[in-house]
Amino acid sequence: EISVSVKAENANYETATNSYTLKVTKRAVTLTSATQSKTYDGTALTATTVTANEGGYVSGETFAYSNFASLTDVGSVDNTFEYASSTADVNNYSVTVVNGKLTVSNATITITANDQFYTYNGAAQGVAATTDVEGATISYCDAAGENCSATVPQLTNADTVTVTVKATKANYTDAEKTYKLGVAKATVNAVTVAIDGWTFGESAKTP
């Protein structure tokens, strides 16, 4: 912005003067970064696209963008960025920045825990549940999902119980599954003993 004074002179005329202001306003441009989302997978989420409003730049002038935000863990952040230009004087622009969003949502855990049924053999029986996520914390609870422990449930004597398995890990939705653990009574086969013509189990008689 500058002030200009004008003076006009000519013979036989009174000298005239005036002044005015010469001003060039900044050109308005709105820069909007992209919005993007994904399910957690352990890698960083980035979105490096920026859109300028139509007619924002003077022909032949553009901006370059860098230092975009990134997000790895579950959550949401503004997709911030920086801008500069090698073809324009940034000071000639009135820049409005609109940040998009980066969002990472929880991944899922799948528990493998099938019903387990055994026959009594005098030993403790029962195997651990597994998950498809390395490092997940597994706990075993009662049928109501309470009284949890990291100890794998096992039965020795004939019985049947319901086990609730829970699996947790940061950036994953907690998982839960129930299964039945049972030990059936063993079967004792009948034994036949013959003693000189006398078969055990028959009514008493004289050989």
Side-chain angles (χ1 to χ4, degrees):
E1 178 180 331
I2 59 174
S3 295
V4 180
S5 296
V6 182
K7 186 177 184 180
E9 296 178 304
N10 198 340
N12 302 313
Y13 288 86
E14 292 185 1
T15 299
T17 61
N18 206 341
S19 63
Y20 65 93
T21 299
L22 178 61
K23 181 179 181 180
V24 176
T25 59
K26 293 184 177 183
R27 188 180 187 90
V29 61
T30 299
L31 306 178
T32 304
S33 61
T35 291
Q36 195 163 323
S37 63
K38 72 170 184 176
T39 300
Y40 173 80
D41 63 3
T43 63
L45 171 65
T46 59
T48 58
T49 299
V50 174
T51 302
N53 60 297
E54 186 175 354
Y57 297 131
V58 171
S59 178
E61 297 184 349
T62 58
F63 286 6
Y65 313 105
S66 61
N67 295 329
F68 287 84
S70 68
L71 183 64
T72 299
D73 292 334
V74 169
S76 183
V77 298
D78 288 340
N79 188 18
T80 57
F81 63 97
E82 297 177 1
Y83 60 88
S85 178
S86 61
T87 61
D89 183 350
V90 175
N91 292 322
N92 287 327
Y93 289 85
S94 176
V95 180
T96 300
V97 172
V98 178
N99 292 318
K101 287 286 186 182
L102 300 178
T103 302
V104 176
S105 57
N106 285 314
T108 58
I109 300 176
T110 299
I111 298 173
T112 300
N114 299 319
D115 291 342
Q116 302 174 33
F117 294 107
Y118 305 92
T119 300
Y120 174 77
N121 64 4
Q125 300 182 86
V127 297
T130 60
T131 74
D132 61 346
V133 176
E134 184 178 356
T137 298
I138 299 176
S139 57
Y140 302 87
C141 316
D142 59 24
E146 301 174 347
N147 304 309
C148 301
S149 168
T151 303
V152 177
Q154 292 185 314
L155 290 177
T156 300
N157 299 320
D159 196 1
T160 300
V161 297
T162 298
V163 180
T164 300
V165 185
K166 296 182 179 182
T168 60
K169 189 176 182 181
N171 298 308
Y172 290 81
T173 301
D174 294 349
E176 185 173 306
K177 185 176 183 180
T178 61
Y179 69 93
K180 291 188 179 299
L181 173 62
V183 173
K185 294 180 179 181
T187 300
V188 178
N189 296 324
V191 178
T192 300
V193 180
I195 303 175
D196 295 334
W198 190 2
T199 302
F200 178 79
E202 292 183 347
S203 299
K205 64 181 181 178
T206 301

